[in-house]
């Protein structure tokens, strides 16, 4: 049992996978969550190949009971969760008022806002009892600066993660718990396939890589316990005029 366990949602792909591999290199035991068991198992194998420990715990973050039982399973099999990386996220190609769909709006809200709340809620009592915990919420550049093409549901839910993190720091720092609102700009990942216009190879080459964000997550997780990184904004270098 190792209380340094890191639980990552959205761990099967993109930034979640990159954060997992970075945390494995830092020697942390990992619990990997997302909806697709097969991609989680692939990442778990990559972690084991690095000499690390990984447990795939498939779940849908919008399923509150599944989140609760996953938290209990992780505690039993890997020990208390010391760090959370919340990377599971959703956007829809129809993201303008002229074409958005209310069911999709609700799904984005359930995934991007209530999902993180549910996972955090499941681990906070244990973190409080142990007097330590780090929570990295992968938000978005569009939460830091209004981005007109991100869509109403995505912009609103990601922007709400800022105050979510701020309340955690205001109320839980005294219990040894700290949180970071991590706001990446464009990252070349599967997520871009859900844009109304899917970017091509040339556009993607100018973006951040998931590994860039994985390194930033590692920086937050490995900072000394008295350091709170409230917000971290990372963007690709600007092309200039
Ligand atoms: N790519 C960008 O340009 C960009 C920029 C800023 C912020 N972000 C944010 O960064 C985070 C990671 O995105 P990414 O770029 O790494 O894309 P990604 O590879 O598509 O990762 C998203 C992950 O979320 C998981 N997921 C989605 N819905 C879920 C649910 N209901 N329950 C559990 N897991 C769920 C997906 O796995 P399953 O499908 O297997 O569940 C997937 O592994 C997201 O929160 C996204 O909003 C992305």
């Amino acid at each position: 049992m190792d209380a340094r366990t890191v639980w990552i949602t959205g761990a099967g792909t993109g930034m979640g996978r990159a954060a997992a591999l970075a945390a494995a290199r830092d020697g942390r035991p990992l619990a990997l969550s997302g909806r697709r068991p097969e991609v989680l198992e692939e990442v778990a194998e990559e972690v084991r190949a690095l000499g690390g420990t990984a447990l795939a715990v498939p779940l849908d973050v919008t399923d509150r009971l599944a989140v609760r039982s996953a938290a209990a399973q992780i505690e039993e099999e890997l020990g208390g969760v010391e760090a959370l990386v919340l990377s599971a996220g959703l956007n829809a190609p129809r993201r303008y008022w002229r074409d958005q769909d209310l069911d999709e709006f609700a799904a984005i809200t359930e995934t991007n806002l209530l999902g993180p709340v549910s996972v955090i809620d499941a681990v906070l009592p244990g973190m409080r009892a142990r007097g330590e915990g780090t929570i990295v919420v992968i938000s978005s550049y569009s939460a830091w600066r209004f981005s007109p093409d991100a869509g109403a549901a995505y912009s609103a839910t990601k922007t709400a993660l800022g105050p979510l993190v701020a309340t955690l720091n205001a109320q839980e720092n005294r219990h040894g718990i700290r949180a970071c609102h991590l706001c990446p700009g464009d990252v070349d990942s599967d997520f871009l396939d859900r844009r109304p216009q899917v970017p091509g190879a040339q556009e993607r080459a100018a973006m951040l890589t998931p590994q860039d964000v994985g390194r930033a997550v590692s920086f937050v997780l490995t900072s000394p316990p008295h350091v709170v990184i409230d917000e971290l904004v990372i963007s690709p270098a600007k092309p200039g005029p």
Side-chain angles (χ1 to χ4, degrees):
M1 298 287 196
D2 189 331
R4 298 177 64 247
T5 297
V6 184
W7 183 11
I8 303 176
T9 69
T13 61
M15 293 179 238
R17 171 179 168 273
L21 296 177
R25 288 188 193 97
D26 293 335
R28 310 288 295 260
L30 299 173
L32 309 173
S33 289
R35 289 167 302 182
R36 287 166 293 167
E38 65 285 0
V39 291
L40 298 175
E41 274 308 332
E42 279 171 25
V43 178
E45 277 307 315
E46 290 183 271
V47 168
R48 288 174 202 128
L50 292 170
T53 303
L55 175 70
V57 188
L59 60 74
D60 185 327
V61 294
T62 68
D63 179 343
R64 286 176 219 166
L65 283 179
V67 167
R68 290 260 152 206
S69 77
Q73 183 194 347
I74 294 163
E75 174 134 20
E76 191 171 318
E77 296 193 32
L78 291 178
V81 172
E82 195 275 328
L84 270 185
V85 180
L86 301 170
S87 191
L90 183 67
N91 202 352
R94 293 184 293 174
R95 53 182 69 173
Y96 301 101
W97 283 96
R98 63 175 180 266
D99 67 356
Q100 71 186 3
D101 173 89
L102 281 188
D103 289 334
E104 282 178 348
F105 201 115
I108 292 167
T109 307
E110 287 282 343
T111 306
N112 293 357
L113 179 55
L114 296 174
V117 171
S118 164
V119 180
I120 293 166
D121 196 61
V123 301
L124 261 185
M127 287 180 168
R128 257 189 228 117
R130 287 185 299 277
E132 61 171 6
T134 304
I135 299 169
V136 181
V137 181
I138 311 261
S139 179
S140 170
Y141 196 88
S142 63
W144 182 68
R145 287 287 182 273
F146 174 62
S147 308
D149 293 326
Y154 191 80
S155 295
T157 54
K158 291 292 189 179
T159 302
L161 297 175
L164 193 84
V165 164
T167 55
L168 280 169
N169 283 325
Q171 297 169 22
E172 302 293 340
N173 278 176
R174 77 191 72 156
H175 302 299
I177 298 163
R178 58 189 175 165
C180 174
H181 184 227
L182 199 154
C183 303
D186 288 344
V187 178
D188 180 11
S189 75
D190 298 347
F191 208 74
L192 305 181
D193 298 338
R194 298 187 67 78
R195 285 192 177 173
Q197 270 89 42
V198 177
Q202 203 180 346
E203 240 182 297
R204 286 174 187 255
M207 296 180 180
L208 299 169
T209 66
Q211 290 70 31
D212 296 326
V213 180
R215 198 176 309 116
V217 171
S218 166
F219 166 68
V220 176
L221 297 187
T222 57
S223 292
H226 66 280
V227 175
V228 179
I229 299 165
D230 300 83
E231 190 163 68
L232 195 51
V233 181
I234 312 168
S235 61
K238 317 288 177 287

